[in-house]
Amino acid sequence: MTTTVTARTLTDLYAQVQHFYAHQMQALDGLRFEDYAATFTEDGTFQHSPDAEPARTRPGIVRELVEFHKRFENDPVRRRHWFNHIALEPQEDGSVRSTVYALVVTVRPGGKPEIAPSCVVHDVLEVVGDQVLTRSRLVTHDQMF
Ligand code: SDN
């Protein structure tokens, strides 16, 4: 069954999107890049930094993340992306604009958490029944102004 966004309460949608983001970002932080890419539409786009080219399609997103994470090859590090202040705006076409604050927390063995960068995530989500997918994601960084 297909349910349009307009037929739902915002509360239901909000819980659904929070649940989606929890699984999506735990895939990224667990370095499960194929699982992360599978949370995008087939033709999805992903730009994690303003100075990076947008990655397109699921295989393109995996390639970009593998490339980006090479910088941590000899650097034992755990990174976690914390999402907060998720603001949703359902659109006429059934998609949902989602604007989210994100902090990237980095921890090295025995070290203290470092918080950087501080970001704003600009997503367009496709919500069809029980399924949420990211159609596009642009991440802006607060230090770049
Ligand atoms: O997927 C995200 C990201 C992300 O992938 C990021 C990456 O490096 C790979 C969702 C929401 C926010 C982000 C933020 C980043 C930060 C970016 C650059 C960096 O850590 O220096």
Side-chain angles (χ1 to χ4, degrees):
M1 190 187 80
T2 301
T3 313
T4 60
V5 168
T6 48
R8 312 163 169 271
T9 65
L10 187 59
T11 317
D12 286 348
L13 177 66
Y14 202 87
Q16 187 180 7
V17 170
Q18 272 192 311
H19 185 244
F20 168 75
Y21 279 147
H23 284 276
Q24 181 185 52
M25 299 315 292
Q26 289 191 26
L28 179 65
D29 295 337
L31 309 180
R32 290 182 284 112
F33 302 142
E34 298 209 342
D35 291 347
Y36 179 80
T39 68
F40 285 70
T41 58
E42 298 271 5
D43 60 351
T45 61
F46 169 56
Q47 187 171 0
H48 61 69
S49 306
D51 52 1
E53 282 295 304
R56 297 176 194 282
T57 76
R58 291 171 178 167
I61 291 170
V62 172
R63 275 197 299 278
E64 172 58 31
L65 287 170
V66 168
E67 190 57 36
F68 178 85
H69 284 81
K70 283 184 181 164
R71 70 192 64 193
F72 301 121
E73 259 170 16
N74 297 312
D75 179 7
V77 69
R78 283 205 174 131
R79 277 163 51 99
R80 301 207 190 279
H81 294 71
W82 288 86
F83 275 26
N84 208 338
H85 298 307
I86 301 166
L88 300 181
E89 297 166 272
Q91 304 295 297
E92 287 292 322
D93 67 357
S95 67
V96 178
R97 284 191 178 278
S98 173
T99 309
V100 185
Y101 288 0
L103 294 174
V104 183
V105 178
T106 302
V107 184
R108 295 186 168 80
K112 290 195 172 149
E114 292 166 16
I115 300 177
S118 166
C119 307
V120 180
V121 182
H122 305 269
D123 277 354
V124 177
L125 304 175
E126 270 187 20
V127 183
V128 179
D130 290 341
Q131 191 183 46
V132 182
L133 292 171
T134 305
R135 188 191 290 170
S136 67
R137 166 164 290 166
L138 167 65
V139 182
T140 57
H141 292 212
D142 289 340
Q143 79 277 12
M144 293 182 169
F145 64 91

